[in-house]
Amino acid sequence: MEIRTVGVIGAGQMGNGIAHVFALAGYQVLLNDISPDALSKAIAVIERNLDRQVTREKISQEDKTAAMGRIDTTTTLTDLGPLDLIIEAATERETVKTAIFEDLQPHLRPETILTSNTSSISITRLASRTDRPEKFMGLHFMNPVPVMQLVELIRGIATDEATYKTMLGVVESLGKTAASAEDFPAFIVNRILMPMINEAVYTLYEGVGNVRSIDESMKLGANHPMGPLELADFIGLDTCLAIMNVLHDGLADTKYRPCPLLTKYVEAGWLGRKTSRGFYDYRGDTPVPTR
């Protein structure tokens, strides 16, 4: 089917980025969140990021104005029912995602495609809780969405070929590259990335190096653009822990055991940039390591 209208559920960091790229690509977007304040902040972030693209001559002022004109917001989930494509980008908790799809289901058109931006949860299991597992896929964008080129496309066991091909075309229309992944815990990127971050936390936990030496070693010794602990703060330590738990539970291998120090930071509410403290303290002019 042809996709013209897109609903994005969740106006956080991922949701506003997804709305941004779809609106810029010519889709009509309806952004949903339970919080009016979150929606207002999301629109401000989208406008600021579009302005940055204009300044860098990636897009024109006309492109920006047209994109902003294609985005509407709503706090009512059922308003998304008539749309062609739904992208769930809510909190990385399966109970939350399942409840969203169950509430939305009675209001959907039969041909509407459902997708989740989950970074690790089973697509097959999420799809099985809906009335259309054949029209359900994982659509995992990388953060920050307007900048990162990759989108993981994950088929559940019941996803049909027509849905897959439609979503492949959608990703291409955004100017991004799709990587097809099988429905195993954490898919491709996080299956490889999160154990590396977790091992960096173990390296800190065991006193092999401090925060700064670990990050500098990987930036200068492995040519990574960002150190693993800095990256963990950017992603969110709660998200990192959730993905490690999915890997550990789903694959039953001790190599995926979350580091106790990562758990302790999350218990303290030190979740990284979004709470101003994680492996670095962001409350001053420059980030300061917390260990």
Side-chain angles (χ1 to χ4, degrees), residues 8-19 31-33 38-39 41-43 45-46 89-91 143 145:
V8 180
I9 302 169
Q13 192 172 33
M14 296 304 294
N16 73 58
I18 292 167
L31 181 60
N32 163 260
D33 200 283
L39 289 170
K41 287 179 179 175
I43 292 299
V45 168
I46 292 168
T91 304
N143 185 32
V145 181

Side-chain angles (χ1 to χ4, degrees), residues 269-278 280-284 290:
W270 291 19
L271 308 181
R273 285 183 175 272
K274 61 187 171 186
T275 58
S276 298
R277 274 195 292 189
Y280 292 85
D281 188 326
Y282 299 93
R283 292 174 297 174
T290 55

Side-chain angles (χ1 to χ4, degrees), residues 62-277:
E62 291 74 20
D63 292 333
K64 178 226 165 173
T65 303
M68 290 302 299
R70 295 187 193 103
I71 303 173
D72 291 308
T73 62
T74 181
T75 55
T76 306
L77 181 65
T78 54
D79 287 348
L80 277 60
L83 307 181
D84 299 329
L85 170 65
I86 306 294
I87 303 166
E88 172 275 313
T91 304
E92 189 70 357
R93 290 206 300 272
E94 189 166 344
T95 52
V96 171
K97 295 176 185 296
T98 299
I100 286 169
F101 288 123
E102 286 177 350
D103 289 347
L104 190 57
Q105 187 169 292
H107 307 278
L108 296 171
R109 294 184 301 137
E111 60 270 28
T112 297
I113 292 175
L114 295 178
T115 66
S116 175
N117 184 57
T118 179
S119 54
S120 60
I121 297 168
S122 167
I123 297 303
T124 296
R125 197 162 61 240
L126 287 174
S128 72
R129 306 295 292 273
T130 74
D131 64 346
R132 62 196 67 208
E134 73 285 350
K135 291 186 176 296
F136 195 108
M137 284 199 72
L139 186 68
H140 181 217
F141 289 85
M142 305 296 122
N143 185 32
V145 181
V147 175
M148 301 296 278
Q149 282 298 111
L150 186 74
V151 181
E152 285 182 317
L153 274 181
I154 306 100
R155 298 171 76 153
I157 197 169
T159 307
D160 63 27
E161 188 67 16
T163 299
Y164 171 72
K165 285 185 174 175
T166 297
M167 293 314 302
L168 193 60
V170 167
V171 172
E172 289 172 355
S173 75
L174 300 176
K176 296 190 181 294
T177 300
S180 296
E182 293 300 315
D183 187 21
F184 285 96
F187 318 130
I188 295 172
V189 172
N190 283 320
R191 171 79 175 260
I192 298 167
L193 176 64
M194 286 302 157
M196 184 197 76
I197 287 175
N198 194 52
E199 193 61 31
V201 183
Y202 266 115
T203 305
L204 178 65
Y205 177 61
E206 293 169 3
V208 180
N210 59 28
V211 168
R212 197 175 297 283
S213 65
I214 291 166
D215 277 351
E216 287 299 310
S217 294
M218 293 308 293
K219 284 193 285 189
L220 301 179
N223 206 28
H224 290 190
M226 190 181 290
L229 300 175
E230 184 185 3
L231 179 58
D233 277 356
F234 181 74
I235 293 167
L237 303 193
D238 53 339
T239 300
C240 294
L241 179 60
I243 295 169
M244 286 308 302
N245 281 326
V246 166
L247 281 165
H248 192 232
D249 295 344
L251 298 171
D253 192 323
T254 55
K255 73 180 180 181
Y256 298 117
R257 182 170 68 97
C259 180
L261 184 60
L262 178 60
T263 302
K264 192 169 291 294
Y265 268 68
V266 173
E267 288 173 346
W270 291 19
L271 308 181
R273 285 183 175 272
K274 61 187 171 186
T275 58
S276 298
R277 274 195 292 189

